[in-house]
Tab-separated table of all heavy atoms in Angstrom:
chain	number	residue	atom	x	y	z
A	4	ASP	N	-9.840	-20.468	-24.803
A	4	ASP	CA	-11.044	-20.940	-25.309
A	4	ASP	C	-12.213	-20.443	-24.552
A	4	ASP	O	-12.473	-21.068	-23.399
A	4	ASP	CB	-10.986	-22.441	-25.463
A	4	ASP	CG	-12.386	-23.059	-26.010
A	4	ASP	OD1	-13.293	-22.265	-26.206
A	4	ASP	OD2	-12.430	-24.256	-26.178
A	5	VAL	N	-12.818	-19.397	-24.902
A	5	VAL	CA	-13.754	-18.718	-24.076
A	5	VAL	C	-15.015	-19.557	-23.846
A	5	VAL	O	-15.631	-19.566	-22.752
A	5	VAL	CB	-14.105	-17.346	-24.575
A	5	VAL	CG1	-15.023	-17.353	-25.801
A	5	VAL	CG2	-14.787	-16.421	-23.409
A	6	ARG	N	-15.419	-20.439	-24.791
A	6	ARG	CA	-16.497	-21.416	-24.552
A	6	ARG	C	-16.170	-22.295	-23.463
A	6	ARG	O	-17.011	-22.519	-22.590
A	6	ARG	CB	-16.812	-22.184	-25.834
A	6	ARG	CG	-17.070	-21.369	-27.127
A	6	ARG	CD	-18.583	-20.859	-27.137
A	6	ARG	NE	-18.476	-19.570	-27.889
A	6	ARG	CZ	-19.130	-18.516	-27.504
A	6	ARG	NH1	-19.976	-18.451	-26.420
A	6	ARG	NH2	-19.008	-17.450	-28.136
A	7	ALA	N	-14.989	-22.856	-23.512
A	7	ALA	CA	-14.607	-23.842	-22.376
A	7	ALA	C	-14.639	-23.117	-21.068
A	7	ALA	O	-14.937	-23.736	-20.096
A	7	ALA	CB	-13.261	-24.553	-22.810
A	8	ILE	N	-14.021	-21.992	-21.059
A	8	ILE	CA	-14.046	-21.153	-19.816
A	8	ILE	C	-15.435	-20.916	-19.277
A	8	ILE	O	-15.730	-21.139	-18.112
A	8	ILE	CB	-13.274	-19.860	-20.013
A	8	ILE	CG1	-11.737	-20.131	-20.186
A	8	ILE	CG2	-13.444	-18.845	-18.918
A	8	ILE	CD1	-10.900	-19.055	-20.645
A	9	ARG	N	-16.317	-20.559	-20.137
A	9	ARG	CA	-17.641	-20.277	-19.684
A	9	ARG	C	-18.322	-21.520	-19.137
A	9	ARG	O	-19.163	-21.292	-18.160
A	9	ARG	CB	-18.492	-19.715	-20.831
A	9	ARG	CG	-18.124	-18.322	-21.263
A	9	ARG	CD	-18.952	-17.818	-22.411
A	9	ARG	NE	-20.340	-17.526	-21.955
A	9	ARG	CZ	-20.733	-16.352	-21.453
A	9	ARG	NH1	-19.860	-15.430	-21.151
A	9	ARG	NH2	-22.009	-16.145	-21.087
A	10	ALA	N	-17.910	-22.605	-19.632
A	10	ALA	CA	-18.541	-23.857	-19.122
A	10	ALA	C	-18.116	-24.152	-17.700
A	10	ALA	O	-18.670	-24.909	-16.974
A	10	ALA	CB	-18.169	-25.005	-20.084
A	11	ASP	N	-17.036	-23.567	-17.388
A	11	ASP	CA	-16.507	-23.658	-15.940
A	11	ASP	C	-17.368	-22.902	-14.873
A	11	ASP	O	-17.230	-23.139	-13.710
A	11	ASP	CB	-15.055	-23.224	-15.800
A	11	ASP	CG	-14.147	-24.158	-16.411
A	11	ASP	OD1	-14.392	-25.388	-16.545
A	11	ASP	OD2	-12.974	-23.785	-16.935
A	12	PHE	N	-18.163	-21.932	-15.381
A	12	PHE	CA	-18.841	-21.032	-14.431
A	12	PHE	C	-20.316	-21.450	-14.554
A	12	PHE	O	-21.049	-20.952	-15.425
A	12	PHE	CB	-18.607	-19.563	-14.918
A	12	PHE	CG	-17.222	-19.068	-14.674
A	12	PHE	CD1	-16.176	-19.435	-15.443
A	12	PHE	CD2	-16.915	-18.300	-13.548
A	12	PHE	CE1	-14.881	-18.972	-15.283
A	12	PHE	CE2	-15.603	-17.869	-13.294
A	12	PHE	CZ	-14.588	-18.222	-14.138
A	13	PRO	N	-20.792	-22.153	-13.560
A	13	PRO	CA	-22.150	-22.666	-13.642
A	13	PRO	C	-23.232	-21.453	-13.839
A	13	PRO	O	-24.233	-21.629	-14.505
A	13	PRO	CB	-22.362	-23.373	-12.228
A	13	PRO	CG	-20.960	-23.711	-11.768
A	13	PRO	CD	-20.055	-22.668	-12.431
A	14	ILE	N	-22.981	-20.382	-13.137
A	14	ILE	CA	-23.926	-19.292	-13.142
A	14	ILE	C	-24.215	-18.764	-14.532
A	14	ILE	O	-25.241	-18.147	-14.839
A	14	ILE	CB	-23.655	-18.237	-12.091
A	14	ILE	CG1	-24.951	-17.500	-11.664
A	14	ILE	CG2	-22.631	-17.193	-12.724
A	14	ILE	CD1	-24.674	-16.585	-10.431
A	15	LEU	N	-23.182	-18.879	-15.395
A	15	LEU	CA	-23.317	-18.261	-16.709
A	15	LEU	C	-24.328	-18.920	-17.648
A	15	LEU	O	-24.686	-18.331	-18.616
A	15	LEU	CB	-21.967	-18.177	-17.382
A	15	LEU	CG	-20.931	-17.228	-16.678
A	15	LEU	CD1	-19.547	-17.335	-17.425
A	15	LEU	CD2	-21.359	-15.894	-16.542
A	16	ALA	N	-24.686	-20.144	-17.281
A	16	ALA	CA	-25.672	-20.814	-17.986
A	16	ALA	C	-27.151	-20.470	-17.544
A	16	ALA	O	-28.105	-20.917	-18.168
A	16	ALA	CB	-25.511	-22.358	-17.901
A	17	SER	N	-27.301	-19.498	-16.540
A	17	SER	CA	-28.538	-19.263	-16.061
A	17	SER	C	-29.264	-18.261	-16.791
A	17	SER	O	-28.721	-17.595	-17.658
A	17	SER	CB	-28.446	-18.968	-14.505
A	17	SER	OG	-27.710	-17.763	-14.447
A	18	THR	N	-30.628	-18.064	-16.579
A	18	THR	CA	-31.307	-17.076	-17.226
A	18	THR	C	-31.786	-16.066	-16.215
A	18	THR	O	-32.030	-16.394	-14.969
A	18	THR	CB	-32.589	-17.672	-17.955
A	18	THR	OG1	-33.365	-18.403	-16.996
A	18	THR	CG2	-32.236	-18.574	-19.076
A	19	VAL	N	-32.000	-14.860	-16.602
A	19	VAL	CA	-32.517	-13.800	-15.736
A	19	VAL	C	-33.783	-13.224	-16.310
A	19	VAL	O	-33.765	-12.792	-17.552
A	19	VAL	CB	-31.473	-12.660	-15.605
A	19	VAL	CG1	-32.044	-11.439	-14.919
A	19	VAL	CG2	-30.258	-13.210	-14.813
A	20	ARG	N	-34.858	-13.266	-15.682
A	20	ARG	CA	-36.142	-12.766	-16.234
A	20	ARG	C	-36.439	-13.386	-17.621
A	20	ARG	O	-36.840	-12.717	-18.639
A	20	ARG	CB	-36.128	-11.210	-16.263
A	20	ARG	CG	-35.818	-10.557	-15.008
A	20	ARG	CD	-36.071	-8.992	-15.101
A	20	ARG	NE	-35.433	-8.331	-14.025
A	20	ARG	CZ	-36.080	-8.169	-12.860
A	20	ARG	NH1	-37.259	-8.670	-12.640
A	20	ARG	NH2	-35.455	-7.517	-11.900
A	21	GLY	N	-36.028	-14.691	-17.678
A	21	GLY	CA	-36.286	-15.316	-18.884
A	21	GLY	C	-35.341	-15.194	-20.032
A	21	GLY	O	-35.456	-15.806	-21.151
A	22	LYS	N	-34.300	-14.353	-19.783
A	22	LYS	CA	-33.267	-14.071	-20.823
A	22	LYS	C	-31.949	-14.675	-20.402
A	22	LYS	O	-31.591	-14.625	-19.144
A	22	LYS	CB	-33.106	-12.566	-21.000
A	22	LYS	CG	-34.406	-11.810	-21.072
A	22	LYS	CD	-34.821	-11.668	-22.521
A	22	LYS	CE	-36.183	-11.068	-22.806
A	22	LYS	NZ	-36.470	-9.901	-21.918
A	23	PRO	N	-31.088	-15.061	-21.285
A	23	PRO	CA	-29.824	-15.594	-20.916
A	23	PRO	C	-29.091	-14.426	-20.228
A	23	PRO	O	-29.110	-13.367	-20.633
A	23	PRO	CB	-29.122	-15.912	-22.298
A	23	PRO	CG	-30.184	-15.940	-23.290
A	23	PRO	CD	-31.305	-15.107	-22.785
A	24	LEU	N	-28.404	-14.856	-19.172
A	24	LEU	CA	-27.604	-13.865	-18.360
A	24	LEU	C	-26.498	-13.239	-19.137
A	24	LEU	O	-25.616	-13.990	-19.684
A	24	LEU	CB	-27.110	-14.520	-17.113
A	24	LEU	CG	-26.068	-13.715	-16.191
A	24	LEU	CD1	-26.722	-12.477	-15.692
A	24	LEU	CD2	-25.548	-14.563	-15.151
A	25	VAL	N	-26.404	-11.966	-19.182
A	25	VAL	CA	-25.226	-11.315	-19.817
A	25	VAL	C	-24.620	-10.500	-18.643
A	25	VAL	O	-25.033	-9.458	-18.232
A	25	VAL	CB	-25.605	-10.360	-20.936
A	25	VAL	CG1	-24.331	-9.528	-21.399
A	25	VAL	CG2	-26.233	-11.086	-22.003
A	26	PHE	N	-23.628	-11.098	-18.024
A	26	PHE	CA	-23.092	-10.521	-16.786
A	26	PHE	C	-21.957	-9.565	-17.021
A	26	PHE	O	-20.841	-9.983	-17.442
A	26	PHE	CB	-22.640	-11.635	-15.792
A	26	PHE	CG	-22.262	-11.151	-14.448
A	26	PHE	CD1	-23.293	-10.760	-13.591
A	26	PHE	CD2	-21.054	-11.022	-14.075
A	26	PHE	CE1	-22.935	-10.252	-12.309
A	26	PHE	CE2	-20.590	-10.578	-12.804
A	26	PHE	CZ	-21.655	-10.133	-11.975
A	27	LEU	N	-22.151	-8.351	-16.933
A	27	LEU	CA	-21.191	-7.235	-17.167
A	27	LEU	C	-20.951	-6.404	-15.937
A	27	LEU	O	-20.693	-5.225	-15.970
A	27	LEU	CB	-21.623	-6.377	-18.319
A	27	LEU	CG	-21.810	-7.097	-19.685
A	27	LEU	CD1	-22.348	-6.197	-20.736
A	27	LEU	CD2	-20.482	-7.781	-20.160
A	28	ASP	N	-20.813	-7.164	-14.787
A	28	ASP	CA	-20.485	-6.464	-13.567
A	28	ASP	C	-19.442	-7.180	-12.814
A	28	ASP	O	-19.368	-7.243	-11.522
A	28	ASP	CB	-21.798	-6.318	-12.681
A	28	ASP	CG	-21.669	-5.353	-11.550
A	28	ASP	OD1	-20.718	-4.409	-11.678
A	28	ASP	OD2	-22.383	-5.367	-10.584
A	29	SER	N	-18.529	-7.775	-13.535
A	29	SER	CA	-17.394	-8.422	-12.875
A	29	SER	C	-16.439	-7.498	-12.111
A	29	SER	O	-15.767	-7.986	-11.181
A	29	SER	CB	-16.621	-9.204	-13.893
A	29	SER	OG	-17.479	-10.233	-14.447
A	30	GLY	N	-16.425	-6.273	-12.504
A	30	GLY	CA	-15.663	-5.234	-11.716
A	30	GLY	C	-16.073	-5.131	-10.302
A	30	GLY	O	-15.264	-4.799	-9.421
Side-chain angles (χ1 to χ4, degrees):
Chain A
D4 177 355
V5 75
R6 302 279 147 225
I8 286 169
R9 289 181 71 83
D11 289 333
F12 290 78
I14 206 167
L15 295 182
S17 61
T18 56
V19 170
R20 304 186 194 280
K22 312 268 172 42
L24 170 66
V25 175
F26 187 75
L27 297 176
D28 196 22
S29 295

